[in-house]
Amino acid sequence: MKKHYLLLLGTGLALAAHSQTLTPPARPTPPVAAATNADKAKVEALLKKMTLEEKIGQMTQLTLGVVADGKPGVEEATLDPAALQKAVQTYGVGSLLNVVNHAVTVDRWGQVITQIQDAAAKTRLKIPVIFGLDGIHGQTYTLDATLFPQNIGMAATRDSALAHAITKVAAAELRASGVRWNFAPVLDCGRQPLWSRFPETYGEDVFIGKTMGSTVIHAYEEDGLRNPTAVASCMKHFIGYAAARTGKDRTPIYLPEIELREYYLPQFRAAVKAGASTVMINSGEINGTPVHASKYLLTQVLRKELGFEGVVVTDWEDIIRLHTRHNVAPTPRAAVAMAINAGIDMSMVPMDYSFPDLLKEAVQKGEVPMSRIDDAVRRILTLKYKLGLFENAYPEAAARANFGKPEYQDLALQAAHEAMTLLKNQDNVLPLKKDTKVLVAGPGAQSISALNGCWSYTWQGKEEQWYPANSKTILQAITDKVGAGNVITTTVKGYDSDANYDTTALKNAAANAAVIVLCLGENAYAESPGNIQDLVLAPNQVALANAAAATGKPVVLVLSEGRPRFITSFEPKMKGILQAYWSGRKSAEAIADVLFGDYNPDGILPYSYPRSMGEMVLYDRKPTEEIREIFNSDMTMDGYKPLFPFGFGLSYTTFSYSPVTLSSTTLKGNDKLRISVTVTNNGSRDGKHTVELYSRDLYASITPNMQRLRGFQKIDLKAGESRTVTFILDKNDLAFVNADLKTVTEPGDFEVMIGGEKAKFSYSL
């Protein structure tokens, strides 16, 4: 597949293949930038006709289960006409979301959306309903939709063009289902690997998060929201959600504002500039203030500082929790008033009608001004106009034709291929020969859910009966690759089945095998059900790894996991380690292709793979984290000592770098600096390779990081081929947040690093 790399990778930063700067491809103006004058006029005219109850209804979002027929034996996506009438006609509910329990067919979605919009067409003002879903790595809730790698796997690809391509498919299949609002992408910075939503992030680095995030938002919206290939995106969760102190979902965050602005705000700033139509708010609290109650964050920072003009929606049940969990609102009505006054436009209530009833009371008692209501409803109506819902709220035939195209599976395989990250290849145990007798063991060997993870046809992703019938397990993919006669297994279906952890069976079976492929990691989970107390793998998995190593046969460990789980105790005993993440529909095929050499791995880590709980140091560490000191004479510089470092990933070929060359050793004012390096594929195999540019500020008013990622480019080199890669930096790429909470670039000396090569320059005003 021909690839066109996105060249706008950061403020002031461009990348170029060979040695020239390429012009970025032209993009349409992001559709969220401004409503048309016609839309604005229609919104204002409609707003003047609306009663208080109709306005509050638009601000209300309910889950589909509220209007579904819950009688035993009735299909779960069947709607209850009376319940639908109450929601849409009596209360004027402006938005619905979610499924009842599992994905449904694209045709069933068409029927559901049609029924909902039929009900809306019978209301006084005929305002259509906007339906939203969590399409986190593809259209999660339509059967047979294409699932791609989770964001953490896409970050491992370091391929922005690929992220753009898979997002176009996700948008097409959402729109084909009649859904025009997607609650994605997650822009939380994954700097706490205990967090159960870690796989939804782009990892620990700010630059990858803002680059991938803005790319994805462009892809969702760039065609124009009236177009049947586009959907409204939702940047989430504003802000700092991933920084929970314990890693538990929806628990307190203690975050100095300087850290919030350095590591968590840039992704949202970039997303706003990219044209995100909506934003979902962090369910937690920061420094004791729930974000849903923070006028500073929602109005001062999000609206005024970032200039966001779209819709602000809560997460699940978060307004009432200001009263029931956070205990900052003494009554439910006080919670509603607090959130709306802080800047919330729409409440994901989602199970009852408490929100509209309480908000009406709050307005009538003068606790919420009408200006705030009008402000929120104006944004919601504007979004509906821009999505073309007033023109045609029903599922579109042109969109339906874009569902399930065969080429989507090719793209899913490409994405899974590029995510695969080879962490260890001792004695060149990989690739395996196809006539090798292989024992496939471990709980992941026959698990489809452990290859896809959360938000996969169900919320948790564990219910395998809803996956496409032709989904393959690792065992099946390996068998297809080398033939049943070369494969032995001790596994059964069911991740938690005792048979998958039978060390005696593994020992006995290994006698007839030349190599063991051991499939460990995590089964699917989402949100709070994925909370864990530490990163250590379950004891039965550790025991299985030790038993496999004790057979004396070489062991290749395949990790299918959403976050890095500790393997430190048995890693030395593994000959090969492949990090597969949760890489979607084609994970198993991609794993088999890498293991047997039909694909040369090129993924690299988007996080630092920790060694232990006492080694949770991130790649962009501070100088004092680099130093280990007992007495001065015992000082060492190995404070950053992960099991595998950020950006690490092996290939079946080797790449070398020339010395780094700079266009100048000085950078002044608004000038630009050209940084070049020549990369050579020294091996006998073709291969893709990510070239990464890091910088270091040698001295600054705030302790500088040891390194920060400033750019990346993925290139494809034939065996023996060389290519010059050029990065262009300006002062904005060197900026940081200072003690006054201002983003500044200070004069001084800097160092740039590419592939172990370094060069220095100085910056002056």
Side-chain angles (χ1 to χ4, degrees), residues 146-166:
T146 312
L147 296 186
F148 298 99
Q150 301 278 349
N151 281 353
I152 198 68
M154 289 309 300
T157 73
R158 298 294 203 277
D159 193 334
S160 299
L162 183 57
H164 183 274
I166 70 167

Side-chain angles (χ1 to χ4, degrees), residues 15-30:
L15 298 180
H18 306 288
S19 58
Q20 73 274 14
T21 302
L22 301 182
T23 302
R27 290 194 179 280
T29 300

Side-chain angles (χ1 to χ4, degrees), residues 218-241:
H218 270 300
Y220 279 129
E221 305 209 17
E222 66 187 350
D223 292 347
L225 296 184
R226 282 182 167 87
N227 194 296
T229 58
V231 295
S233 64
C234 185
M235 53 182 182
K236 65 185 195 184
H237 308 78
F238 187 84
I239 184 174
Y241 191 26

Side-chain angles (χ1 to χ4, degrees), residues 243-305:
R245 172 183 278 182
T246 64
K248 301 292 192 298
D249 194 36
R250 296 189 168 199
T251 57
I253 297 142
Y254 295 90
L255 195 62
E257 188 163 352
I258 190 171
E259 186 175 351
L260 181 145
R261 288 179 172 275
E262 185 69 56
Y263 298 105
Y264 296 91
L265 190 61
Q267 299 88 315
F268 289 93
R269 189 184 301 276
V272 171
K273 290 180 179 179
S277 288
T278 70
V279 63
M280 188 178 292
I281 304 306
N282 171 5
S283 295
E285 60 188 66
I286 297 179
N287 305 331
T289 300
V291 182
H292 286 82
S294 176
K295 191 168 185 176
Y296 171 69
L297 289 174
L298 300 185
T299 299
Q300 182 61 38
V301 176
L302 179 61
R303 292 292 189 198
K304 295 181 179 179
E305 183 178 334

Side-chain angles (χ1 to χ4, degrees), residues 89 158 182 249 330 356 415 429 431 452 598 689 727 731 736-737 764:
Q89 295 172 303
R158 298 294 203 277
N182 190 23
D249 194 36
V429 66
N452 288 272
D598 289 331
H689 182 68
F727 299 86
K731 66 179 183 181
F736 64 93
V737 179
S764 61

Side-chain angles (χ1 to χ4, degrees), residues 457-570:
Y457 307 111
T458 62
W459 174 42
Q460 291 297 303
K462 288 185 177 181
E463 298 81 359
E464 294 195 359
Q465 67 268 33
W466 303 112
Y467 284 84
N470 61 354
S471 298
K472 291 186 179 181
T473 65
I474 297 173
L475 176 64
Q476 288 173 317
I478 290 176
T479 302
D480 289 348
K481 180 75 65 178
V482 301
N486 286 319
V487 180
I488 310 165
T489 192
T490 56
T491 65
V492 297
K493 287 189 174 294
Y495 199 88
D496 297 323
S497 173
D498 289 342
N500 288 325
Y501 303 94
D502 189 334
T503 57
T504 300
L506 184 150
K507 178 182 177 181
N508 292 337
N512 299 312
V515 66
I516 300 172
V517 173
L518 183 61
C519 307
L520 303 181
E522 299 183 306
N523 199 3
Y525 54 80
E527 300 188 60
S528 295
N531 287 345
I532 53 176
Q533 295 180 342
D534 60 47
L535 289 171
V536 175
L537 280 175
N540 53 4
Q541 293 204 40
V542 176
L544 201 65
N546 286 325
T551 65
K553 301 298 174 71
V555 182
V556 176
L557 176 64
V558 176
L559 293 168
S560 300
E561 56 188 8
R563 55 197 160 194
R565 302 299 295 267
F566 293 144
I567 58 172
T568 310
S569 66
F570 58 85

